[in-house]
Amino acid sequence: MEILLTLVKTVILLIANIVVGAVGFIPSALMTAINIQSLGLYGGATLTFAGEIFGALFGFYLYRFGFSKADPKWLIHPFWQKFQRQTTKQVFSLVILLRLLPFMPSGFVTAGAALTTINGKKFWVASTIGKIPAVIMELAVVYGLIQVVPKSVQYLLFGALLTVSVIIWLLTTKQKKAHQSTN
């Protein structure tokens, strides 16, 4: 029975990790802490890495689908145009480089790559290569914090970070809608 509960918990956590990886605006360190506390260092590390790489691929296809349905006016922003002007080889290298930065919002990298001609497999490989050192560093920091910071403070920090992330996302969404309605 205990094995079944652990399996169910692991599947639920994997789905949550993939969603966080796909959405790209919720700090993945929050899920890393939950993973480590739930499954230990090695199980949590494995789950974190799997969630990051599969979440990025899932997000890539979600962004690509969403962009195909969106109004192209917003694509004039220099950030998105910079990505669109790159060759597949350059995008591959850029994804690796940007993924090496552990606290870089992964949604920006994924969204930018989804606007280019890079295919899903190449994006996934580049993203995975770049995420290896970033996830290792994130795991070290989170594991260290878990060992030192009391659980009550961890829960408070988790709630605060999640709340701030959602507020920033809502404000950004509201600003985009206001900007689109004025155009």
Side-chain angles (χ1 to χ4, degrees), residues 170-183:
L170 290 172
L171 290 174
T172 304
T173 304
K174 187 177 181 179
Q175 286 176 344
K176 286 178 186 176
K177 287 181 181 176
H179 180 70
Q180 289 174 349
S181 65
T182 60
N183 286 339

Side-chain angles (χ1 to χ4, degrees), residues 119-168:
N119 65 37
K121 182 180 179 182
K122 286 182 181 175
F123 169 79
W124 187 68
V125 170
S127 192
T128 300
I129 291 168
K131 280 189 175 283
I132 291 170
V135 170
I136 289 170
M137 187 163 46
E138 181 178 295
L139 285 163
V141 169
V142 170
Y143 184 71
L145 288 173
I146 288 172
Q147 300 304 307
V148 182
V149 178
K151 283 197 189 253
S152 59
V153 175
Q154 290 177 34
Y155 294 140
L156 182 65
L157 286 173
F158 176 81
L161 281 172
L162 186 60
T163 301
V164 168
S165 296
V166 170
I167 289 170
I168 290 171

Side-chain angles (χ1 to χ4, degrees), residues 13-85:
L13 284 172
L14 179 60
I15 292 168
N17 277 271
I18 289 171
V19 168
V20 167
V23 171
F25 71 87
I26 299 172
S28 61
L30 300 175
M31 285 306 304
T32 300
I34 293 170
N35 295 341
I36 292 171
Q37 288 179 342
S38 298
L39 301 172
L41 178 59
Y42 298 113
T46 302
L47 190 60
T48 295
F49 189 68
E52 288 275 347
I53 61 172
F54 290 111
L57 184 62
F58 184 59
F60 175 79
Y61 286 114
L62 281 177
Y63 281 119
R64 190 160 272 180
F65 174 76
F67 291 152
S68 72
K69 305 292 181 201
D71 182 4
K73 288 181 184 177
W74 62 271
L75 291 174
I76 61 172
H77 190 279
F79 178 82
W80 304 122
Q81 287 190 350
K82 173 97 173 143
F83 261 86
Q84 289 179 308
R85 287 192 298 266

Side-chain angles (χ1 to χ4, degrees), residues 81-98:
Q81 287 190 350
K82 173 97 173 143
F83 261 86
Q84 289 179 308
R85 287 192 298 266
Q86 306 301 311
T87 66
T88 300
K89 194 177 208 179
Q90 289 170 320
V91 173
F92 185 88
S93 299
L94 194 55
V95 168
I96 292 172
L97 178 67
L98 293 174

